[in-house]
Amino acid sequence: TIRTVPGGALLFTPSYFSKDSIIKNWKMTKMYNSINNIKPIVEEKSDLSAKLIIDKFVSYPNGALLVGVCRGKISEGLDFADDLARIVYVFGIPYPAFKDPEVELKMNYNDHRHQFHKNYLSGSDWYTGQAFRALFQSVGRCLRHTSDYGAIVFLDERINSNLDKLPTWLKIQNSLSVEQAQAVLNEFYK
């Protein structure tokens, strides 16, 4: 589908580890070169500033594929309006690190509060909410004003069981095969 996308494309992953694994896999299977020949690949890296990453991304006049991380440097607070991003792919749901001590403490705190105040989010509800907040921040990068357009592709079947958590402005097409998704996107970009 990336071949038919006008302008730039974004791919967000849940973590730097998953981003690095995808890039490594692409390089081992020669997929990296295939994609890079269609749209140059620009990676978010933890040791690079957001400005350097964005400057490289926007330097390609026909668009590039920017591979970043939910909750990273480029997934929140930046505009990729108009042809800077006409599609956002999201690989996975960016749940916080479950064994992170701060996450565990917050979940335990919320569970304790929830016992006495039922309108207070339980730990698991808070945890899920954090994942979807980060997800919404990432997918919103390509739709920045009322006349902007772009496609959002979730590459995780768990989205189907969480459709009620998605914003109402998203027009969802449930579980399409690769071929069906390509046909829908080809029509969308005509």
Side-chain angles (χ1 to χ4, degrees):
T1 62
I2 199 162
R3 189 179 310 279
T4 61
V5 175
L10 306 173
L11 167 64
F12 289 108
T13 67
S15 66
Y16 284 103
F17 178 81
S18 59
K19 178 195 69 75
D20 293 342
S21 295
I22 289 169
I23 297 293
K24 181 180 178 183
N25 183 275
W26 284 354
K27 288 180 177 178
M28 287 182 356
T29 61
K30 308 287 189 241
M31 180 67 73
Y32 188 93
N33 290 338
S34 297
I35 296 169
N36 203 50
N37 287 335
I38 299 166
K39 293 217 185 280
I41 298 172
V42 177
E43 276 186 75
E44 174 182 348
K45 296 192 179 199
S46 58
D47 61 340
L48 293 177
S49 72
K51 181 178 179 354
L52 285 175
I53 297 164
I54 300 304
D55 286 350
K56 183 173 182 185
F57 177 66
V58 301
S59 71
Y60 297 100
N62 296 320
L65 171 62
L66 179 53
V67 183
V69 177
C70 293
R71 291 189 196 84
K73 296 174 184 176
I74 60 166
S75 65
E76 298 184 19
L78 296 176
D79 283 347
F80 293 99
D82 304 317
D83 278 345
L84 284 179
R86 291 296 185 198
I87 193 165
V88 177
Y89 301 95
V90 182
F91 178 84
I93 298 174
Y95 288 97
F98 194 72
K99 291 297 181 183
D100 180 316
E102 290 182 18
V103 171
E104 285 187 45
L105 283 171
K106 177 64 175 166
M107 289 178 69
N108 289 337
Y109 173 79
N110 276 44
D111 282 340
H112 178 74
R113 292 286 309 263
H114 184 71
Q115 287 177 345
F116 302 102
H117 306 283
K118 292 302 177 195
N119 60 345
Y120 204 84
L121 286 177
S122 69
S124 63
D125 287 345
W126 171 85
Y127 184 73
T128 300
Q130 292 302 299
F132 280 86
R133 184 200 61 77
L135 184 77
F136 302 154
Q137 283 292 324
S138 298
V139 301
R141 298 304 93 206
C142 78
L143 302 171
R144 304 309 292 172
H145 54 81
T146 56
S147 59
D148 207 354
Y149 69 93
I152 297 166
V153 179
F154 295 109
L155 303 170
D156 190 319
E157 63 187 20
R158 294 175 295 173
I159 285 294
N160 288 330
S161 61
N162 289 284
L163 293 176
D164 60 318
K165 294 174 182 69
L166 299 177
T168 55
W169 53 263
L170 280 177
K171 294 178 183 160
I172 303 295
Q173 301 228 354
N174 288 345
S175 294
L176 300 178
S177 69
V178 171
E179 294 78 18
Q180 290 170 322
Q182 285 175 329
V184 167
L185 290 169
N186 286 341
E187 187 64 29
F188 179 74
Y189 289 117
K190 277 186 182 177

